[in-house]
Amino acid sequence: MAILLVGGVEAGAGASTVAVGLAGRIARTGRAVRVERLAGDDRAAGDAELFAALPFASGGGAPLEPDALDELRPDGDGVLVLETPPAGAPAGLAGRLGARSLLVAPEGVEAAAPDGGELVRTRAGGVPPGAPGSLRLPEDRLLAAPTVGRLIEASGARVLARSLEGDAAIIEHILVGAISHDATDVSYFERHPRTAVVTRAEKVDIALGALRSGVSCLVLSGGSEPSPYLLDRAAAGRDTTLLLAPEGTVETVRDVEGIFGSTPFAGEAKIERAGELMAALVDDDRLAELLGE
């Protein structure tokens, strides 16, 4: 039986990413894994729902109060992964549960390993993995990528048509629909997966090229009402979410670029990516160290 407390130094530090990645790595060994979220902040409910939906672990689906944790001790060689709020777990909780604590902090943020625990660094760039005393997860575009929903909030855009994926679709790349390129060449828009294209609402030929390529999101900038033909094309295809942003192209791109790395961890693609990273970084011996075994 092992219990891991995973907490971040701040919201968005990557605690949920680490918790999910470790749960996936542990599940690969054949051990039963339960992932829960401690109550105490506004992200707790969403995290608990995410954990309950993991295909390789179990979870209650709702944030837990500290008094309820004694009933969750895993049986046999099972593992309980418990994410705590950014403020940290209540004093003495690790000792009461016999748990090992992991503190998650982005590279460059001052932090120290908790007593008897480990410091986990996220967004580590140019740092060799496996450095003594800490686990380092490299910067990753997919894990930092926002959703269409966050892009809508950041740009103040109005939704004109939603794709089948909707607001949960992940955006890895922002591409400006340049005036100079050949709008009939859809390969310009197909260079990267999970792309949002930003172009002026008046540039109908560029917008149509983006829609034909099936980009995840098309943002029409400038606030002008678009051609009805664009609306019909987007509604018929359902591959692309079509947005109308009030600001110009430069301002809109600036607004949406600033949200990378700030979106709460969620989505099947990010769950899979977190598992891949943890599997590459943590061998059996390193896993035993993290679990305090």
Side-chain angles (χ1 to χ4, degrees):
M1 177 185 73
I3 301 176
L4 282 177
L5 298 184
V6 181
V9 295
E10 59 190 12
S16 296
T17 301
V18 171
V20 170
L22 280 174
R25 175 65 182 87
I26 295 165
R28 292 187 182 201
T29 69
R31 300 171 72 168
V33 185
R34 181 163 185 165
V35 191
E36 299 288 354
R37 180 58 150 85
L38 198 64
D41 66 308
D42 57 6
R43 289 191 176 187
D47 288 342
E49 290 179 7
L50 167 70
F51 297 159
L54 294 174
F56 47 77
S58 62
L64 298 174
E65 298 297 335
D67 293 343
L69 298 179
D70 291 320
E71 303 174 2
L72 294 179
R73 293 180 178 276
D75 297 326
D77 67 348
V79 179
L80 170 63
V81 179
L82 177 64
E83 183 185 346
T84 65
L93 181 63
R96 191 183 101 207
L97 297 177
R100 185 167 172 79
S101 297
L102 305 181
L103 180 64
V104 182
E107 193 73 22
V109 175
E110 185 175 352
D115 292 340
E118 293 223 22
L119 178 65
V120 180
R121 288 292 188 182
T122 54
R123 307 173 202 164
V127 180
S134 66
L135 177 68
R136 284 175 161 83
L137 273 69
E139 291 182 322
D140 187 85
R141 178 179 290 273
L142 176 56
L143 292 179
T147 61
V148 168
R150 284 286 291 120
L151 189 150
I152 293 169
E153 294 175 6
S155 64
R158 176 160 58 94
V159 179
L160 302 178
R162 275 191 169 86
S163 70
L164 292 175
E165 284 192 88
D167 292 1
I170 294 173
I171 300 298
E172 284 190 65
H173 303 272
I174 305 296
L175 182 63
V176 175
I179 297 174
S180 60
H181 94 277
D182 181 2
T184 64
D185 181 12
V186 297
S187 64
Y188 175 80
F189 302 108
E190 295 174 339
R191 293 183 296 170
H192 306 291
R194 303 184 179 98
T195 297
V197 172
V198 184
T199 192
R200 294 284 299 185
E202 298 88 351
K203 305 300 180 181
V204 177
D205 55 342
I206 295 176
L208 284 175
L211 288 174
R212 282 196 297 270
S213 70
V215 297
S216 299
C217 185
L218 172 59
V219 186
L220 303 176
S221 61
S224 299
E225 289 298 321
S227 164
Y229 186 64
L230 290 178
L231 299 177
D232 292 343
R233 188 65 180 259
R238 301 297 304 280
D239 294 321
T240 302
T241 291
L242 181 63
L243 306 177
L244 180 62
E247 295 186 303
T249 298
V250 173
E251 294 81 6
T252 300
V253 171
R254 178 200 62 207
D255 291 340
V256 300
E257 282 185 335
I259 63 176
F260 277 76
S262 65
T263 300
F265 180 87
E268 183 177 339
K270 291 191 177 186
I271 291 171
E272 183 176 348
R273 183 59 178 151
E276 291 171 351
L277 287 175
M278 202 62 73
L281 292 172
V282 179
D283 60 18
D284 289 343
D285 291 339
R286 190 71 173 98
L287 182 60
E289 290 179 10
L290 291 171
L291 294 174
E293 299 176 342

